[in-house]
Amino acid sequence: MSDQVAQAAQSAGSDPIVRVTGISKRYEGGVQALEGVDLDFPEGRLTSLLGPSGCGKTTLLKIIAGLLEPNAGEVQVAGRRVTGPGPERAFVFQDFALLPWATVTRNVAFGLELQGISKAERREKARHYIREVGLTGFEDRYPHELSGGMRQRVGLARAMAVDADVLLMDEPFSAVDEQTRRKFQEDLLHLLSVEKKTVIFVTHSIEEAVYLSSQVVLLSRRPGRVSKIIPTDLGGLESPDAIRRSKRYLDTVEDIWGMLKQYLLEDEIK
Amino acid sequence: MSIALVCGAWEIAGRVPISLAFPSFFDTAAAFWRMTLDGSLPIAFLITLHPLVIGIGISIVFGVGLGVTMGLSRGFEWLAAPVFIVMQAAPMAALIPLITFVYGIGLTAKVLAVCLLAVPVVVLNSYAAVRNANPSLVQMCRSFQGTRLQQIMKVIIPDASPVIFAGLRLGVAAGFIGIVLAELLITPTGIGDLITYHRAVANYAEMYASIVSIVVFSAVIVSLLEKVEVVLLRPEKRIKGTPE
Ligand SMILES: Nc1ncnc2c1ncn2[C@@H]1O[C@H](COP(=O)(O)OP(=O)(O)OP(=O)(O)O)[C@@H](O)[C@H]1O
Ligand SMILES: [Mg+2]
């Protein structure tokens, strides 16, 4: 297993900025969510976490974020052991986690507000990222006035606004429409190439995972373990359509689908 | 609208007459007007309000403070929660004669009567509200390196505020009960005195005017509290329900 990890890191071609070793997590109710997870996340790349619902993807992401304590193992970010949340990591929540009493602007700028940044600067930055996610004109609305997809974009903008090196994204595009999703995918790839961000990305879409990632990590059913690491660099091809039509892309999607189907079959047998 | 209905029903019931001791709405309104003009009602209100305002002030500051602290700290919760749960379940009004016994019939006794009735519900609501603050928002605040103080001030308290304010409304209502009971049971002063006096001399319209005015006053104060909440902490509620 460990040489597989090393291999994947090598194929991605850069040093790991986030290193997860021997992580196990058992919730208080007795649910064993994760067991012995070892993973390396190369700097400046996007790694997708894929796996059946309830396998511990959110749990793993929150442990990396320092929001949950693992029962065993440790997380290192840039060589330093994680003991809590840090400014180099930003989280996009699966349930959006917006403040219902705050406007879009204040929600987007909430990370900056907590850092004690001046109001004028906060407004400026918030305006920029609100435009980036296509919510211009909704600055003074409250979350309950927005659609699910729009709320999700507020959560995205909030994470972008703090300018962290590592983005931890928990199904960040699950509620947006297909057009917006494609736009965001391109934006994310652009961000990766220009700003050298590292992204850890949870998704249920195999196509999205293969399209965006340098590597796809397949987790097993609960308790979540790493069942396979699939290098998926589709480098070289320029246009999105060319990538989506390439044999390598289609084969990889097919392979992963084959592996995930195994879980479904096992479920049926049980 | 519902107010007009109640007044109409009251007028009819008063005319029928159900009982001699039940004046019609217009008689009561006239009595209210007379008492306002001769100054007896405003003076009674001032006398009643004095211990009431002090008592409610203490209950709000102390009750919310203690309740929030209990919600935030397991130790405090363990120490204080059982006391207030018992206090809320017990018929505290029964303790009012006891207060007279210990503190006499002065201002202290009345303030204490207000606090005794108002504090438990304020404490327990604040405590439950904080304890049930949305964990996902708290986690969000932590993930952006919010300090504990920021977490409390910017997330937990605003999130808890609807339930805290519901507790305050109940607390204020309970405080009104406390003060009227104290005035009826301890020493007849203020509104309590008016009620007792007019009953004694069979001025039923005046008696009802006193009762209704204190009830309406209490309702107005309670709804004012709701406005305060919306303005201070939950601006999004201002537009909720009013389609643009
Ligand atoms: N706070 C909690 N207390 C107890 N058990 C929990 C808690 N949070 C999650 N779990 C359990 O841990 C397991 C993993 O949960 P997790 O949210 O990490 O799954 P997931 O892979 O993100 O699922 P999904 O794809 O549906 O989002 C689940 O079986 C869930 O029931
Ligand atoms: Mg999840």
Side-chain angles (χ1 to χ4, degrees), chain B residues 49-103:
Chain B
L49 282 182
H50 184 200
L52 182 66
V53 168
I54 298 177
I56 285 180
I58 293 175
S59 305
I60 289 179
V61 173
F62 174 76
V64 172
L66 189 66
V68 169
T69 317
M70 276 160 63
L72 294 172
S73 137
R74 293 269 165 196
F76 254 96
E77 176 190 8
W78 181 83
L79 263 175
V83 177
F84 288 98
I85 291 170
V86 169
M87 273 178 83
Q88 200 191 20
M92 295 306 283
L95 287 185
I96 288 177
L98 197 70
I99 298 174
T100 330
F101 191 69
V102 178
Y103 290 95

Side-chain angles (χ1 to χ4, degrees), chain A residues 54 56-59 94 170-171 202 204:
Chain A
K57 303 181 293 293
T58 298
T59 306
Q94 187 171 10
D170 199 352
E171 303 190 29
V202 172
H204 279 290

